[in-house]
């Protein structure tokens, strides 16, 4: 477990000056609402053009593109699970999003990575559970990613930030 390189901030991920930002996408990778819409809007139509070449992406997996007009060099697109009742592998699929995004970040020599709160908007994953899964998975994976200097959860609103702060504090208390 390694929580020291995880930070929680409130903000707009389209403004992040980092090596890679993560997009909470859908399996088409062709854009949508929420953070996905904001990222496509800020990056410009060249992002959609590259996404069209990727052939979509399965839930829990991830694909990488350039960042185009964004300050971030890369965008890592991952479709999170749609929350049904908790009995459809939602937790494992969500953890797998965080793991696969970090893996792509490492493969592409990214040292700084910013994540949004995957699946807790349109996809209705219960916020506190999603926050626990996110920070635990990141902390476990960072053990094996010495070249990643910093991972931030960029929370759009106060309630989301509180949930991630609480989850991270609980994890630090375990260490
Ligand atoms: N920066 C950071 N976080 C943001 C931003 C932003 N600019 N905009 C919204 N959020 P959602 P999901 C937060 O719904 O639940 C799309 O249509 C938002 O407040 O964007 O994974 C896709 O195409 C929330 O906390 O993603 C898919 O169809 C978090 O980002 C579907 O929605 C995630 O909310 C994916 O749903």
């Amino acid at each position: 477990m390694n929580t020291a390189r995880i930070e929680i901030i409130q903000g707009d991920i389209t403004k992040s000056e980092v090596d890679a930002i993560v997009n909470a996408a859908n399996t088409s990778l062709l854009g949508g609402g929420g953070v996905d819409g904001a990222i496509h809007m800020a990056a410009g139509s060249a992002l959609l053009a590259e996404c069209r070449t990727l052939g979509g992406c399965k839930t829990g997996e991830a694909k990488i593109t350039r960042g185009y007009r964004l300050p971030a060099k890369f965008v890592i697109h991952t479709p999170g699970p749609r929350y049904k009742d908790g009995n459809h592998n939602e937790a494992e699929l969500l953890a797998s999003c965080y793991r696969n995004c970090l893996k792509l970040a490492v493969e592409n020599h990214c040292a700084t990575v910013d994540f949004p709160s995957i699946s807790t908007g349109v996809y209705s994953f219960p916020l506190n559970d999603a926050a626990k899964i996110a920070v635990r998975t990141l902390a476990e994976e960072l053990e094996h990613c010495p070249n990643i200097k910093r991972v931030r959860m960029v929370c759009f609103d106060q309630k989301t930030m509180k949930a991630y702060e609480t989850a991270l504090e609980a994890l630090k208390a375990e260490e």
Side-chain angles (χ1 to χ4, degrees):
M1 202 100 84
N2 190 320
T3 56
R5 285 174 278 155
I6 303 176
E7 292 175 17
I8 315 293
I9 62 164
Q10 190 173 350
D12 175 353
I13 204 165
T14 65
K15 307 274 194 272
S16 288
E17 295 184 16
V18 290
D19 294 325
I21 62 169
V22 170
N23 180 16
N26 58 58
T27 55
S28 77
L29 298 186
L30 299 180
V35 70
D36 193 5
I39 287 172
H40 276 276
M41 184 88 82
S45 58
L47 176 62
L48 183 58
E50 185 175 357
C51 284
R52 283 192 203 286
T53 69
L54 299 177
C57 182
K58 289 184 186 148
T59 301
E61 297 184 1
K63 292 196 177 171
I64 193 164
T65 64
R66 291 169 51 200
Y68 300 96
R69 290 193 190 146
L70 292 165
K73 204 184 301 170
F74 295 105
V75 181
I76 300 174
H77 306 263
T78 186
R82 232 180 252 277
Y83 193 86
K84 297 197 182 78
D85 54 8
N87 294 316
H88 288 79
N89 223 21
E90 292 96 330
E92 187 41 51
L93 286 167
L94 186 62
S96 153
C97 288
Y98 285 92
R99 267 197 300 271
N100 284 320
C101 287
L102 275 188
K103 189 165 168 246
L104 270 183
V106 169
E107 284 168 10
N108 289 275
H109 312 288
C110 297
T112 50
V113 187
D114 280 7
F115 283 84
S117 175
I118 300 167
S119 282
T120 67
V122 174
Y123 284 176
S124 307
F125 205 112
L127 178 58
N128 292 333
D129 293 340
K132 282 185 208 160
I133 292 165
V135 295
R136 180 174 290 279
T137 305
L138 290 173
E140 284 170 358
E141 291 305 303
L142 281 171
E143 263 325 336
H144 316 295
C145 304
N147 295 332
I148 294 200
K149 275 201 324 226
R150 185 191 70 197
V151 170
R152 294 188 302 195
M153 290 300 314
V154 180
C155 305
F156 207 43
D157 55 71
Q158 190 97 42
K159 185 178 161 216
T160 303
M161 189 172 71
K162 222 36 263 147
Y164 281 83
E165 278 175 347
T166 304
L168 184 60
E169 276 160 30
L171 207 56
K172 281 181 195 263
E174 267 184 41
E175 273 183 316

